[in-house]
Every structure is written in C-alpha cells, then in structure tokens.
Amino acid sequence: MPWLDVNGTRLYYEDTGGPGAPLVFSHGLLWSGRMFDKQVAALRDRYRCITYDHRGQGQSDVWRVDTVDMETVYADGVALIEKLGVGPCHFAGLSMGGFVGMRLAVRRPELLRSLILMETSADPEPAENVPRYKALNFVARWFGMRWVADRVMPIMFGRTFLEDSARAAERAEWRRRLMANRRDIWRAVNGVVRRRGVYEELSRIRTPTLVVVGAEDTATVPAKAERIHAAIAGSRLVKLPRGGHSSSIEEPALLNAALEEFLRERA
C-alpha cells in the first residue's frame, strides 16, 4: 500500500501516475480520498491524479492528540507535495481540504499551479454550529458513528441526493462508510470545530482560483463561497444548481464539468 512518512506520521495516498500535470485532491472531514473517485476517473487520462487521507482519517495513521489542528494538516499537505515532487500542482480541496488549499495558496504559492475550493469556508466554525457539533462528536467518540449517522447525513448531503429513490443504494453505501469511521475520528473533528479562520489572508492569494458551492450546502452555505470569491482577486465562482456539502459524490457530472473547464484553461 502507498504510504508517505511526513511530520512524524504516515499518510495513505493513491497516485494514478502518468505524464499529465499533477492534480492533488484533499478531502473533507469524516471521509477520505475515496470521495473523489468520480473526479479521478474523469480526469486521470489528462492529469496525474493524487488523493490522500488526512492524518487521523481514512487509512492514514492515528495521531494521538486531543486535536488534529489545521496548521498541522496544512503542513502535511506541504510535505506531501514536496516529497512526491509534484509541485507546482493543481490543488483541489473540499471543505477541510479547502482549509488546506487556502493556506497553501497564501503561504506556499510556489507549490501551486491553480487552486480549486469546493464547499468550504475561510472563517472559523460559526458559533451557532459549535454546540451541536460538539454534542455529535461526544456521542461518536464514546459510542461510535452509527449513533449519529442519521444526524450527520443531512449535514454532509443535500436534499436532492437524500431524497432521490433511484440513488438509495448509493446513499446506503456512503452511510455505511460514514459509520465505518474509526472511533478516534473525534480528534479530527476537534480540529475543524476549533479551527482559526484565514479570511484576512485571502487577499494575498494570486494563484488562479475556482470556488465551487452546491445550492443545497447547509454546512458551508453559498454565502461562504461568495465571501471567498470576493476576497480572492480574479477568482471564479461556480454555483451548482444542486448538491450539498459533498458535491464530488452527489453531483459528479456538474462538478466535473466545472473542473474540466477551469483546468483546460490552465493547461
């Protein structure tokens, strides 16, 4: 299995190889690089697609601390790009992955060709969300994700995906994956809930940037994407007519079309 030693831990990653420009995908909280399977399938003939699991998530090693903080997760992203020798790369981050991508573009712009931000925010977690997320995290830590799955699914997915009877089997599979999260996922959740915002840094970004948000995203609402777009000079904003907080899973055709158009212009 492909593992990379970075910053005192091991990250699991998958790399399609090939001569195309590198495209690194960084996933959202509670998932893994597998949430980009349909993007990799669509783009691997033109790009060297790399997915990886953040420390303490997916198949990457456990990190035994109270909080997997965003600065450490950002440093892991830097180390991965440098160790694989794929900089400058296109970097696509969804939600938590977007937290990494924004920090990269501000602090290590030489590592990026372009930046794609999906379903993410430059602000701290809204105060009104924190008590609910802490309560869910407490239950998940001590009793397991299966006890909170029904509460988390509407946070992660939009109405269209959740209500489409034709996608019942697909929905069940992603619910199964959600429940399969290991018990120590609470450490990563703490990192997201306690994160510091980076909005004040966004004006320094000069990397070509695409901001994407689904109309049904209730975790990072479209206004958050609009705020990022307004702060990054020359960025492009795409609002998907459907899709919630996991647009790569929910609306792959819509998302892939937006990615392909943006990347084609930067070939």
Side-chain angles (χ1 to χ4, degrees), residues 58-90:
Q59 298 185 67
S60 291
D61 281 357
V62 174
W63 203 44
R64 298 192 180 281
V65 295
D66 176 74
T67 301
V68 182
D69 65 276
M70 286 304 106
E71 295 305 316
T72 298
V73 178
Y74 150 70
D76 289 346
V78 170
L80 177 129
I81 293 169
E82 291 183 333
K83 287 205 167 189
L84 293 180
V86 295
C89 65
H90 302 289

mmCIF file of all heavy atoms in Angstrom, residues 58-90:
data_model
loop_
_atom_site.group_PDB
_atom_site.id
_atom_site.type_symbol
_atom_site.label_atom_id
_atom_site.label_comp_id
_atom_site.label_asym_id
_atom_site.label_seq_id
_atom_site.Cartn_x
_atom_site.Cartn_y
_atom_site.Cartn_z
ATOM 1 N N GLY A 58 -9.401 8.208 7.303
ATOM 2 C CA GLY A 58 -9.203 7.232 6.241
ATOM 3 C C GLY A 58 -8.241 6.132 6.676
ATOM 4 O O GLY A 58 -8.361 5.568 7.762
ATOM 5 N N GLN A 59 -7.248 5.877 5.820
ATOM 6 C CA GLN A 59 -6.272 4.837 6.122
ATOM 7 C C GLN A 59 -4.949 5.391 6.647
ATOM 8 O O GLN A 59 -4.006 4.633 6.859
ATOM 9 C CB GLN A 59 -6.016 3.992 4.865
ATOM 10 C CG GLN A 59 -7.252 3.263 4.369
ATOM 11 C CD GLN A 59 -6.955 2.349 3.197
ATOM 12 O OE1 GLN A 59 -6.255 1.354 3.327
ATOM 13 N NE2 GLN A 59 -7.478 2.701 2.029
ATOM 14 N N SER A 60 -4.870 6.701 6.830
ATOM 15 C CA SER A 60 -3.653 7.277 7.399
ATOM 16 C C SER A 60 -3.554 6.945 8.880
ATOM 17 O O SER A 60 -4.538 6.596 9.527
ATOM 18 C CB SER A 60 -3.627 8.792 7.188
ATOM 19 O OG SER A 60 -3.459 9.107 5.820
ATOM 20 N N ASP A 61 -2.356 7.061 9.414
ATOM 21 C CA ASP A 61 -2.115 6.663 10.792
ATOM 22 C C ASP A 61 -2.877 7.531 11.787
ATOM 23 O O ASP A 61 -3.157 8.708 11.541
ATOM 24 C CB ASP A 61 -0.625 6.743 11.121
ATOM 25 C CG ASP A 61 0.151 5.537 10.592
ATOM 26 O OD1 ASP A 61 -0.479 4.617 10.025
ATOM 27 O OD2 ASP A 61 1.385 5.509 10.751
ATOM 28 N N VAL A 62 -3.174 6.928 12.910
ATOM 29 C CA VAL A 62 -3.769 7.637 14.041
ATOM 30 C C VAL A 62 -2.744 8.614 14.596
ATOM 31 O O VAL A 62 -1.543 8.347 14.611
ATOM 32 C CB VAL A 62 -4.173 6.627 15.138
ATOM 33 C CG1 VAL A 62 -4.661 7.345 16.382
ATOM 34 C CG2 VAL A 62 -5.226 5.664 14.609
ATOM 35 N N TRP A 63 -3.218 9.751 15.036
ATOM 36 C CA TRP A 63 -2.331 10.724 15.690
ATOM 37 C C TRP A 63 -2.926 11.006 17.048
ATOM 38 O O TRP A 63 -3.988 11.611 17.163
ATOM 39 C CB TRP A 63 -2.235 11.996 14.849
ATOM 40 C CG TRP A 63 -1.009 12.794 15.106
ATOM 41 C CD1 TRP A 63 0.268 12.333 15.236
ATOM 42 C CD2 TRP A 63 -0.928 14.217 15.251
ATOM 43 N NE1 TRP A 63 1.136 13.366 15.453
ATOM 44 C CE2 TRP A 63 0.433 14.536 15.469
ATOM 45 C CE3 TRP A 63 -1.858 15.248 15.219
ATOM 46 C CZ2 TRP A 63 0.874 15.840 15.655
ATOM 47 C CZ3 TRP A 63 -1.424 16.541 15.404
ATOM 48 C CH2 TRP A 63 -0.072 16.830 15.610
ATOM 49 N N ARG A 64 -2.272 10.569 18.091
ATOM 50 C CA ARG A 64 -2.876 10.545 19.431
ATOM 51 C C ARG A 64 -2.712 11.876 20.148
ATOM 52 O O ARG A 64 -1.886 12.027 21.045
ATOM 53 C CB ARG A 64 -2.298 9.385 20.234
ATOM 54 C CG ARG A 64 -2.599 8.048 19.601
ATOM 55 C CD ARG A 64 -2.309 6.875 20.503
ATOM 56 N NE ARG A 64 -2.615 5.622 19.849
ATOM 57 C CZ ARG A 64 -3.825 5.096 19.702
ATOM 58 N NH1 ARG A 64 -4.870 5.755 20.182
ATOM 59 N NH2 ARG A 64 -4.019 3.949 19.096
ATOM 60 N N VAL A 65 -3.490 12.829 19.722
ATOM 61 C CA VAL A 65 -3.567 14.126 20.378
ATOM 62 C C VAL A 65 -5.032 14.470 20.541
ATOM 63 O O VAL A 65 -5.904 13.846 19.948
ATOM 64 C CB VAL A 65 -2.853 15.225 19.554
ATOM 65 C CG1 VAL A 65 -1.360 14.955 19.461
ATOM 66 C CG2 VAL A 65 -3.466 15.335 18.164
ATOM 67 N N ASP A 66 -5.297 15.479 21.317
ATOM 68 C CA ASP A 66 -6.682 15.897 21.530
ATOM 69 C C ASP A 66 -7.294 16.518 20.284
ATOM 70 O O ASP A 66 -8.482 16.356 20.013
ATOM 71 C CB ASP A 66 -6.724 16.904 22.689
ATOM 72 C CG ASP A 66 -8.110 17.464 22.911
ATOM 73 O OD1 ASP A 66 -8.967 16.746 23.436
ATOM 74 O OD2 ASP A 66 -8.338 18.637 22.531
ATOM 75 N N THR A 67 -6.462 17.233 19.514
ATOM 76 C CA THR A 67 -6.950 17.975 18.351
ATOM 77 C C THR A 67 -5.972 17.841 17.195
ATOM 78 O O THR A 67 -4.784 18.150 17.349
ATOM 79 C CB THR A 67 -7.109 19.475 18.686
ATOM 80 O OG1 THR A 67 -8.025 19.615 19.773
ATOM 81 C CG2 THR A 67 -7.622 20.254 17.493
ATOM 82 N N VAL A 68 -6.441 17.370 16.055
ATOM 83 C CA VAL A 68 -5.632 17.388 14.832
ATOM 84 C C VAL A 68 -5.838 18.767 14.212
ATOM 85 O O VAL A 68 -6.775 18.996 13.452
ATOM 86 C CB VAL A 68 -6.046 16.268 13.863
ATOM 87 C CG1 VAL A 68 -5.153 16.282 12.621
ATOM 88 C CG2 VAL A 68 -5.968 14.904 14.540
ATOM 89 N N ASP A 69 -4.970 19.702 14.564
ATOM 90 C CA ASP A 69 -5.198 21.099 14.213
ATOM 91 C C ASP A 69 -4.922 21.362 12.737
ATOM 92 O O ASP A 69 -4.166 20.645 12.074
ATOM 93 C CB ASP A 69 -4.334 22.009 15.089
ATOM 94 C CG ASP A 69 -2.859 21.806 14.821
ATOM 95 O OD1 ASP A 69 -2.266 20.872 15.401
ATOM 96 O OD2 ASP A 69 -2.300 22.561 14.005
ATOM 97 N N MET A 70 -5.527 22.418 12.216
ATOM 98 C CA MET A 70 -5.442 22.720 10.789
ATOM 99 C C MET A 70 -4.033 23.105 10.337
ATOM 100 O O MET A 70 -3.661 22.857 9.198
ATOM 101 C CB MET A 70 -6.432 23.840 10.430
ATOM 102 C CG MET A 70 -7.879 23.414 10.396
ATOM 103 S SD MET A 70 -8.173 22.021 9.281
ATOM 104 C CE MET A 70 -8.397 20.717 10.471
ATOM 105 N N GLU A 71 -3.264 23.711 11.222
ATOM 106 C CA GLU A 71 -1.905 24.078 10.827
ATOM 107 C C GLU A 71 -1.063 22.831 10.579
ATOM 108 O O GLU A 71 -0.230 22.801 9.671
ATOM 109 C CB GLU A 71 -1.263 24.966 11.893
ATOM 110 C CG GLU A 71 -1.950 26.313 12.068
ATOM 111 C CD GLU A 71 -2.051 27.103 10.776
ATOM 112 O OE1 GLU A 71 -1.056 27.150 10.021
ATOM 113 O OE2 GLU A 71 -3.118 27.685 10.511
ATOM 114 N N THR A 72 -1.288 21.785 11.375
ATOM 115 C CA THR A 72 -0.583 20.523 11.155
ATOM 116 C C THR A 72 -1.055 19.853 9.878
ATOM 117 O O THR A 72 -0.240 19.329 9.095
ATOM 118 C CB THR A 72 -0.791 19.586 12.355
ATOM 119 O OG1 THR A 72 -0.247 20.201 13.531
ATOM 120 C CG2 THR A 72 -0.095 18.249 12.137
ATOM 121 N N VAL A 73 -2.362 19.870 9.638
ATOM 122 C CA VAL A 73 -2.895 19.263 8.412
ATOM 123 C C VAL A 73 -2.377 20.013 7.186
ATOM 124 O O VAL A 73 -2.049 19.406 6.153
ATOM 125 C CB VAL A 73 -4.440 19.244 8.455
ATOM 126 C CG1 VAL A 73 -5.004 18.668 7.163
ATOM 127 C CG2 VAL A 73 -4.920 18.416 9.642
ATOM 128 N N TYR A 74 -2.276 21.327 7.282
ATOM 129 C CA TYR A 74 -1.681 22.133 6.206
ATOM 130 C C TYR A 74 -0.226 21.735 5.987
ATOM 131 O O TYR A 74 0.219 21.539 4.845
ATOM 132 C CB TYR A 74 -1.782 23.613 6.544
ATOM 133 C CG TYR A 74 -0.679 24.469 5.969
ATOM 134 C CD1 TYR A 74 -0.597 24.725 4.602
ATOM 135 C CD2 TYR A 74 0.317 24.995 6.800
ATOM 136 C CE1 TYR A 74 0.436 25.485 4.075
ATOM 137 C CE2 TYR A 74 1.343 25.762 6.284
ATOM 138 C CZ TYR A 74 1.406 25.999 4.926
ATOM 139 O OH TYR A 74 2.439 26.751 4.407
ATOM 140 N N ALA A 75 0.544 21.599 7.075
ATOM 141 C CA ALA A 75 1.955 21.211 6.950
ATOM 142 C C ALA A 75 2.091 19.844 6.293
ATOM 143 O O ALA A 75 3.045 19.595 5.533
ATOM 144 C CB ALA A 75 2.628 21.220 8.320
ATOM 145 N N ASP A 76 1.154 18.945 6.560
ATOM 146 C CA ASP A 76 1.167 17.635 5.904
ATOM 147 C C ASP A 76 0.962 17.784 4.397
ATOM 148 O O ASP A 76 1.581 17.070 3.596
ATOM 149 C CB ASP A 76 0.064 16.746 6.474
ATOM 150 C CG ASP A 76 0.349 16.273 7.896
ATOM 151 O OD1 ASP A 76 1.498 16.405 8.354
ATOM 152 O OD2 ASP A 76 -0.600 15.767 8.528
ATOM 153 N N GLY A 77 0.062 18.689 3.994
ATOM 154 C CA GLY A 77 -0.150 18.923 2.567
ATOM 155 C C GLY A 77 1.107 19.423 1.891
ATOM 156 O O GLY A 77 1.456 18.976 0.784
ATOM 157 N N VAL A 78 1.813 20.345 2.547
ATOM 158 C CA VAL A 78 3.089 20.834 2.017
ATOM 159 C C VAL A 78 4.071 19.685 1.858
ATOM 160 O O VAL A 78 4.704 19.515 0.809
ATOM 161 C CB VAL A 78 3.687 21.911 2.952
ATOM 162 C CG1 VAL A 78 5.117 22.247 2.536
ATOM 163 C CG2 VAL A 78 2.825 23.161 2.945
ATOM 164 N N ALA A 79 4.198 18.875 2.909
ATOM 165 C CA ALA A 79 5.165 17.772 2.892
ATOM 166 C C ALA A 79 4.831 16.752 1.819
ATOM 167 O O ALA A 79 5.728 16.220 1.146
ATOM 168 C CB ALA A 79 5.217 17.111 4.269
ATOM 169 N N LEU A 80 3.550 16.474 1.627
ATOM 170 C CA LEU A 80 3.154 15.510 0.597
ATOM 171 C C LEU A 80 3.549 15.995 -0.790
ATOM 172 O O LEU A 80 4.139 15.250 -1.589
ATOM 173 C CB LEU A 80 1.655 15.262 0.674
ATOM 174 C CG LEU A 80 1.094 14.324 -0.402
ATOM 175 C CD1 LEU A 80 0.260 13.215 0.227
ATOM 176 C CD2 LEU A 80 0.246 15.081 -1.421
ATOM 177 N N ILE A 81 3.247 17.246 -1.095
ATOM 178 C CA ILE A 81 3.600 17.798 -2.404
ATOM 179 C C ILE A 81 5.107 17.780 -2.605
ATOM 180 O O ILE A 81 5.597 17.387 -3.674
ATOM 181 C CB ILE A 81 3.047 19.228 -2.537
ATOM 182 C CG1 ILE A 81 1.514 19.210 -2.582
ATOM 183 C CG2 ILE A 81 3.594 19.921 -3.793
ATOM 184 C CD1 ILE A 81 0.878 20.570 -2.451
ATOM 185 N N GLU A 82 5.850 18.157 -1.584
ATOM 186 C CA GLU A 82 7.309 18.211 -1.711
ATOM 187 C C GLU A 82 7.915 16.819 -1.812
ATOM 188 O O GLU A 82 8.813 16.586 -2.635
ATOM 189 C CB GLU A 82 7.898 18.980 -0.535
ATOM 190 C CG GLU A 82 7.557 20.468 -0.565
ATOM 191 C CD GLU A 82 8.203 21.254 0.558
ATOM 192 O OE1 GLU A 82 8.479 20.670 1.632
ATOM 193 O OE2 GLU A 82 8.430 22.468 0.371
ATOM 194 N N LYS A 83 7.461 15.881 -1.000
ATOM 195 C CA LYS A 83 8.054 14.541 -1.019
ATOM 196 C C LYS A 83 7.741 13.790 -2.305
ATOM 197 O O LYS A 83 8.558 13.001 -2.789
ATOM 198 C CB LYS A 83 7.601 13.743 0.194
ATOM 199 C CG LYS A 83 8.251 14.185 1.499
ATOM 200 C CD LYS A 83 8.285 13.057 2.513
ATOM 201 C CE LYS A 83 9.212 13.409 3.666
ATOM 202 N NZ LYS A 83 9.441 12.245 4.562
ATOM 203 N N LEU A 84 6.549 14.016 -2.846
ATOM 204 C CA LEU A 84 6.207 13.376 -4.122
ATOM 205 C C LEU A 84 6.808 14.130 -5.307
ATOM 206 O O LEU A 84 6.793 13.629 -6.436
ATOM 207 C CB LEU A 84 4.690 13.283 -4.288
ATOM 208 C CG LEU A 84 3.954 12.346 -3.322
ATOM 209 C CD1 LEU A 84 2.451 12.373 -3.614
ATOM 210 C CD2 LEU A 84 4.486 10.917 -3.424
ATOM 211 N N GLY A 85 7.327 15.322 -5.071
ATOM 212 C CA GLY A 85 7.936 16.115 -6.128
ATOM 213 C C GLY A 85 6.959 16.550 -7.190
ATOM 214 O O GLY A 85 7.311 16.596 -8.375
ATOM 215 N N VAL A 86 5.740 16.904 -6.780
ATOM 216 C CA VAL A 86 4.698 17.234 -7.756
ATOM 217 C C VAL A 86 4.367 18.727 -7.797
ATOM 218 O O VAL A 86 3.394 19.127 -8.437
ATOM 219 C CB VAL A 86 3.419 16.407 -7.505
ATOM 220 C CG1 VAL A 86 3.688 14.939 -7.736
ATOM 221 C CG2 VAL A 86 2.877 16.647 -6.095
ATOM 222 N N GLY A 87 5.154 19.535 -7.118
ATOM 223 C CA GLY A 87 4.916 20.973 -7.183
ATOM 224 C C GLY A 87 5.589 21.594 -8.393
ATOM 225 O O GLY A 87 6.668 21.145 -8.797
ATOM 226 N N PRO A 88 4.996 22.593 -9.016
ATOM 227 C CA PRO A 88 3.673 23.135 -8.706
ATOM 228 C C PRO A 88 2.561 22.236 -9.250
ATOM 229 O O PRO A 88 2.665 21.688 -10.345
ATOM 230 C CB PRO A 88 3.673 24.497 -9.397
ATOM 231 C CG PRO A 88 4.614 24.324 -10.556
ATOM 232 C CD PRO A 88 5.664 23.360 -10.091
ATOM 233 N N CYS A 89 1.496 22.088 -8.480
ATOM 234 C CA CYS A 89 0.392 21.216 -8.850
ATOM 235 C C CYS A 89 -0.924 21.995 -8.835
ATOM 236 O O CYS A 89 -1.023 23.074 -8.259
ATOM 237 C CB CYS A 89 0.289 20.050 -7.867
ATOM 238 S SG CYS A 89 -0.125 20.546 -6.174
ATOM 239 N N HIS A 90 -1.920 21.429 -9.485
ATOM 240 C CA HIS A 90 -3.292 21.871 -9.275
ATOM 241 C C HIS A 90 -3.732 21.254 -7.945
ATOM 242 O O HIS A 90 -3.491 20.070 -7.696
ATOM 243 C CB HIS A 90 -4.207 21.396 -10.396
ATOM 244 C CG HIS A 90 -3.788 21.856 -11.759
ATOM 245 N ND1 HIS A 90 -3.890 23.170 -12.164
ATOM 246 C CD2 HIS A 90 -3.262 21.171 -12.819
ATOM 247 C CE1 HIS A 90 -3.452 23.283 -13.414
ATOM 248 N NE2 HIS A 90 -3.067 22.090 -13.828
#
